Each structure stands twice: as structure tokens, then as C-alpha cells.
Amino acid sequence: MFGDIGGLEVMAIVVMAIVIFGPDKLPKLIQDTMGFIRKVRSFADSAKEDIRSELGPEFQNFDFEDLNPKTFVRKQLIGDGDDPLGLKDLKDSVDIKSALNGDRTPTPTASVDFSKAATAASAGPALAAGERPPFDPDAT
């Protein structure tokens, strides 16, 4: 978060804080700020624990970092976890790590069979000739 701030910038902020608030009020201001940060952190931690307890025992290992799309995609494409989205065939077919490292010509290692994914994605029995598919007005 603060990786772009150098030493001169930090010194400038400290000097400005001393000039604006004065050396006598600065320790109390820092103490109040740190207390506020501790309260916010404890509130966030208790909220996470409340969410975990409300979700039930099957979500005890739920990681809130998985809600970040970059982390989720990285875990699914590169990670060695389970495969809830069925991306194992895709992961096996293309060398993702070399593609992410700058190799623009990924070499396929196996062919992907999407017929399993298509049959898994279809829900219910096949429609008869001329039959209209079910329509859900709430889904649109």
C-alpha cells in the first residue's frame, strides 16, 4: 500500500505534522490514531468470525482473500487445489505458467474435451421437437 513512498516523503510528512499539530499534541494524536486502527481491525476480525460461524462448519476454512478476483483466478489456474469449476482439462491443455511469465506461444500439452463440460452444464432432460425451453423472468 505504501510501497511508493520514499524516505524523503516520510520525512516531509513528519515535519508537516510537527508544524501543523505541534510537538505537544502530536503524541496524543498518534495514540488516538493507533487506537482507532486497533478498533477497526478488531471489528473486521469479529465480523469475519461472525460470517464464518453463520456459514456453518463446512465453511470454516473459507479464506476471504478468495473474494478477490485475481486471487481466485490464480488459485484456479495455477494452484494445486480441488477443481470446483472443472478447469482441470484447461489447465492440463496449456502451460499457464509459461504464458504468464511472458512466453507468448504456449504449447498445448493435451487436447481438451469440452463434451463433458457441455453435458455437465445442461440441466434436465432434452427438449422435444418444437418444445420451448423454460423461461425464468426473475433470471433476466
Side-chain angles (χ1 to χ4, degrees), residues 63-90:
D63 188 13
F64 286 91
E65 283 295 317
D66 289 341
L67 297 177
N68 183 349
K70 286 184 179 180
T71 306
F72 178 76
V73 169
R74 186 178 305 121
K75 275 188 170 182
Q76 294 301 318
L77 294 178
I78 299 174
D80 293 323
D82 55 347
D83 191 22
L85 294 179
L87 296 174
K88 183 169 178 18
D89 293 333
L90 180 63

Side-chain angles (χ1 to χ4, degrees), residues 2-15:
F2 296 109
D4 295 336
I5 297 178
L8 280 173
E9 287 91 356
V10 171
M11 288 299 289
I13 291 172
V14 168
V15 168

Side-chain angles (χ1 to χ4, degrees), residues 31-70:
Q31 216 172 23
D32 292 343
T33 304
M34 293 305 294
F36 176 74
I37 291 172
R38 282 189 203 105
K39 284 182 184 179
V40 168
R41 282 185 183 166
S42 68
F43 175 73
D45 290 340
S46 67
K48 285 180 183 179
E49 289 304 316
D50 288 345
I51 290 172
R52 282 191 179 111
S53 67
E54 291 293 326
L55 288 176
E58 61 270 5
F59 290 101
Q60 287 300 319
N61 295 331
F62 178 71
D63 188 13
F64 286 91
E65 283 295 317
D66 289 341
L67 297 177
N68 183 349
K70 286 184 179 180

